[in-house]
């Protein structure tokens, strides 16, 4: 069994002021869903407005990439945020992006945590529940992008929110199906051929090879290619081309 289609997402809008990290315009010609930074780990009002406009023009789905409030650490530092505060901050970020998506004639279609928050809600039930509460505060039916089997996945389903299982084309996996921490050597897969092979493997066969060489089940409905890695645009193009050549339709999730 294989997916007839798969969504391709990337993290966009990860700049601040005059500083730009991602080639948003180029990536929007490749991906079908855009995880737009909402100002807490990166991004600002002007950037959100610009990226939402570009995404709407290209019929790319807009997602809110919510994070801990950590501009200095790019949202990748572990933080202790009370659950009630976190839920309010998640709702705040979704609401801010929603203004610019609506102004562009589109809308926020899903939510994806970023960085340390994404990794935390794989196992932390309290923080996962807080993210879900934030989504309910902002818009009670928004889907959540999540690692399959995570605490966030469970909390979202319990609350009646749709869950879109996510895989990572360019990140290494542990034997448990979680992501290898970025500080560990080999956490980011840089070989283009390997990234394409892994992407096709997940989409067509529902498996991925882990950091330690084991093959584990991994059948995502959406596949992430990171926009902040060197050569990200060409890598995303190669992944999309590889999927298409393997008979997988690249299209936004239903």
């Amino acid at each position: 069994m294989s997916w007839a289609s798969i969504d391709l997402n990337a993290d966009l809008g990860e700049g601040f002021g005059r500083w730009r990290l991602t080639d948003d315009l180029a990536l929007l010609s490749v991906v079908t869903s855009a995880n737009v930074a909402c100002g807490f780990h990166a991004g600002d009002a002007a950037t959100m407005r610009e990226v939402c406009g570009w995404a709407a023009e290209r019929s790319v789905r807009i997602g809110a990439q919510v994070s801990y409030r950590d501009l200095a650490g790019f949202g990748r530092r572990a933080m202790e945020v009370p659950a009630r505060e976190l839920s309010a901050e998640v709702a705040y970020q979704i609401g801010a992006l929603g203004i610019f998506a609506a102004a562009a004639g589109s809308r926020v279609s899903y939510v994806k945590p970023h960085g340390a928050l994404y990794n935390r809600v794989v196992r932390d039930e309290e923080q996962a529940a807080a993210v879900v509460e934030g989504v309910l505060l902002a818009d009670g039916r928004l889907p959540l992008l999540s690692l399959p089997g995570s605490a966030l996945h469970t909390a979202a389903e319990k609350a009646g929110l749709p869950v879109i299982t996510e895989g990572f084309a360019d990140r290494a996996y542990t034997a448990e199906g979680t992501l290898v921490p970025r500080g560990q050597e080999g956490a980011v897969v840089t070989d283009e051929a390997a990234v394409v092979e892994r992407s096709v493997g997940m989409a067509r066969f529902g498996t991925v090879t882990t950091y330690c060489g084991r093959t584990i089940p991994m059948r995502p409905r959406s596949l992430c290619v990171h926009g902040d890695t060197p050569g990200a645009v060409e890598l995303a193009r190669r992944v999309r081309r590889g999927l298409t050549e393997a008979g997988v339709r690249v299209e936004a999730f239903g």
Side-chain angles (χ1 to χ4, degrees):
M1 176 183 177
S2 63
W3 290 112
S5 66
I6 196 164
D7 176 60
L8 195 61
N9 77 73
D11 304 343
L12 303 181
E14 291 185 325
F16 193 81
R18 297 178 62 185
W19 177 67
R20 291 289 183 268
L21 178 63
T22 50
D23 189 344
D24 297 328
L25 199 54
L27 283 166
L28 283 166
S29 69
V30 182
V31 301
T32 49
S33 295
N35 318 317
V36 183
C38 298
F40 272 40
H41 75 280
D44 53 39
T47 302
M48 285 190 279
R49 181 180 184 180
E50 185 174 59
V51 174
C52 284
W54 288 340
E57 289 170 1
R58 290 156 181 78
S59 299
V60 173
R61 187 165 294 177
I62 296 169
Q65 188 166 41
V66 299
S67 171
Y68 288 128
R69 188 189 294 270
D70 181 27
L71 275 176
F74 196 62
R76 289 180 175 161
R77 297 186 292 190
M79 303 187 77
E80 295 300 326
V81 181
R84 185 171 177 82
E85 182 179 337
L86 179 59
S87 62
E89 292 189 339
V90 166
Y92 180 93
Q93 291 173 79
I94 296 168
L97 187 66
I99 291 172
F100 300 115
S106 185
R107 64 186 178 88
V108 174
S109 296
Y110 64 93
V111 177
K112 175 183 173 178
H114 165 80
L117 180 58
Y118 190 101
N119 293 324
R120 180 74 171 267
V121 297
V122 169
R123 293 191 174 90
D124 191 315
E125 295 179 358
E126 183 182 47
Q127 294 279 281
V131 171
V132 169
E133 183 183 353
V135 175
L136 293 172
L137 280 170
D139 184 325
R141 294 300 303 165
L142 286 177
L144 272 157
L145 257 65
S146 168
L147 279 182
S150 65
L152 181 62
H153 189 149
T154 301
E157 287 189 333
K158 184 177 180 180
L161 293 179
V163 178
I164 308 301
T165 53
E166 182 179 33
F168 289 81
D170 52 2
R171 289 294 310 277
Y173 282 91
T174 68
E176 292 74 36
T178 58
L179 298 178
V180 173
R182 276 187 175 267
Q184 188 171 327
E185 185 178 353
V188 178
V189 182
T190 56
D191 181 82
E192 289 188 355
V195 172
V196 173
E197 182 181 5
R198 289 159 57 84
S199 301
V200 172
M202 285 187 274
R204 283 290 307 277
F205 309 113
T207 61
V208 70
T209 301
T210 68
Y211 181 80
C212 57
R214 286 182 55 191
T215 298
I216 61 171
M218 184 60 61
R219 189 178 297 281
R221 185 63 190 87
S222 184
L223 192 63
C224 178
V225 288
H226 282 95
D228 62 338
T229 53
V233 175
E234 182 55 33
L235 181 60
R237 287 176 178 146
R238 286 197 61 183
V239 167
R240 179 159 187 160
R241 185 166 61 247
L243 289 166
T244 300
E245 291 173 352
V248 179
R249 293 197 311 275
V250 179
E251 60 185 10
F253 53 83

